[in-house]
Structures are given as structure tokens and as C-alpha cells.
């Protein structure tokens, strides 16, 4: 038996991209980043940023694509997969991709009415989805990695 689950609190690095498969299923792609502060061998504090591509599917993708925005903090759960490809220079590159099973929106909504936004997003998501958007006003400029 094996188990693949990742949990992140991260910030969106760009606006979400909502697309549809040829069969008509909604797919929302977001780019998220996590930060880690640590000291190097000289005792100086450095910050490391790790980027992930996250994929939302179906009604959850359609509902949340309109509420996600660059810089917003989100809580994600899903399955992690590393995808490799060859870039234009012939180098092998790796992308960390998360197939999202649960997402919670953190931070303040653009319009400041977080409860209404959360209720609308929750009612639009599928009944089988375990995600419930939640907002938290504690995000500051220092929390955003860019």
C-alpha cells in the first residue's frame, strides 16, 4: 500500500487560468509558492521559495477560479507528482504538480465581503467535494513571497 498526500499553505504567484478539456470538464491551473527562512553556513538568514503548479477540476475549478487572485494565501491538500520535460536549451526540467482534493481560501477577499464570497463558492462546489472556502484576515505583506 502507498499513500500520496501533500498539505501546503502557500501564496498564489499569478492569476488562475480556467480552461476546459475537449470533453467539457473545467480545469483551473494555479501557481503557488511556499517560503522557508533559514540560516546559511555563515549565519546569515536566507529565504528559499518553492513553486508548485496546482490543478483544480470540475465545478470546484469553475467556482474558485473567479475568487482566487495573485498574492492570495491558500491552504491546499492533494496528491503530489513531479513532471519532467526538456526545455528549449535541451535541459531536463522538473515541475512539482498538485492534483488538489481540498482548498481553503485564506486572507481577505478582494471585495472585503469574505462571508458572502465563501458562501457563494461553497454552494457552487460539488457535493462530493470536501473543500469549504475559509477566510482569515491575518495575511500581511511579509507573508507574500514576491
Amino acid at each position: 500500500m502507498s499513500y500520496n498526500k501533500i498539505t501546503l499553505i502557500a501564496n498564489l504567484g499569478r492569476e488562475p487560468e480556467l480552461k476546459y478539456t475537449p470533453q467539457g470538464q473545467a480545469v483551473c491551473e494555479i501557481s503557488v509558492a511556499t517560503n522557508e527562512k533559514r540560516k546559511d553556513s555563515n549565519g546569515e538568514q536566507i529565504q528559499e521559495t518553492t513553486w508548485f503548479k496546482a490543478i483544480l477540476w470540475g465545478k470546484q475549478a469553475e467556482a474558485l477560479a473567479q475568487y482566487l487572485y495573485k498574492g492570495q494565501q491558500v491552504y491546499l491538500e492533494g496528491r503530489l507528482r513531479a513532471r519532467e520535460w526538456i526545455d528549449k536549451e535541451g535541459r531536463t526540467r522538473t515541475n512539482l504538480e498538485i492534483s488538489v482534493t481540498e482548498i481553503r481560501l485564506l486572507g481577505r477577499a478582494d471585495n472585503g465581503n469574505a462571508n458572502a464570497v465563501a458562501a457563494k463558492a461553497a454552494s457552487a462546489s460539488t457535493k462530493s467535494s470536501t473543500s469549504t472556502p475559509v477566510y482569515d484576515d491575518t495575511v500581511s505583506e511579509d507573508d507574500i513571497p514576491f
Side-chain angles (χ1 to χ4, degrees):
M1 183 168 109
S2 63
Y3 187 70
N4 180 353
K5 184 173 183 175
I6 185 169
T7 303
L8 297 176
I9 294 179
N11 294 75
L12 268 70
R14 60 181 166 84
E15 298 298 322
E17 292 181 36
L18 181 63
K19 302 175 186 175
Y20 291 87
T21 65
Q23 296 78 21
Q25 184 176 21
V27 180
C28 181
E29 184 178 304
I30 59 175
S31 178
V32 296
T34 60
N35 284 330
E36 180 180 345
K37 293 180 183 178
R38 63 178 181 84
K39 292 187 179 184
D40 65 9
S41 59
N42 297 326
E44 299 206 18
Q45 190 162 349
I46 60 172
Q47 181 172 308
E48 291 182 345
T49 302
T50 304
W51 289 91
F52 300 86
K53 181 166 113 176
I55 309 294
L56 302 157
W57 294 92
K59 292 192 183 286
Q60 182 183 50
E62 289 177 318
L64 292 174
Q66 58 190 315
Y67 301 113
L68 296 170
Y69 55 89
K70 181 179 177 177
Q72 181 179 26
Q73 192 175 49
V74 293
Y75 167 91
L76 297 172
E77 286 184 16
R79 291 177 304 281
L80 182 64
R81 180 174 25 192
R83 293 206 180 253
E84 290 187 355
W85 77 96
I86 307 295
D87 68 10
K88 294 177 183 177
E89 289 81 36
R91 296 178 296 198
T92 300
R93 309 284 267 170
T94 303
N95 189 28
L96 297 175
E97 182 179 290
I98 301 168
S99 180
V100 177
T101 55
E102 182 171 344
I103 184 169
R104 294 177 188 254
L105 310 180
L106 306 175
R108 183 170 298 163
D110 278 339
N111 65 3
N113 189 355
N115 293 334
V117 171
K120 188 172 183 181
S123 68
S125 66
T126 62
K127 290 181 182 178
S128 64
S129 173
T130 61
S131 63
T132 304
V134 176
Y135 292 90
D136 177 1
D137 292 2
T138 61
V139 177
S140 71
E141 288 293 318
D142 295 336
D143 295 326
I144 300 175
F146 31 86

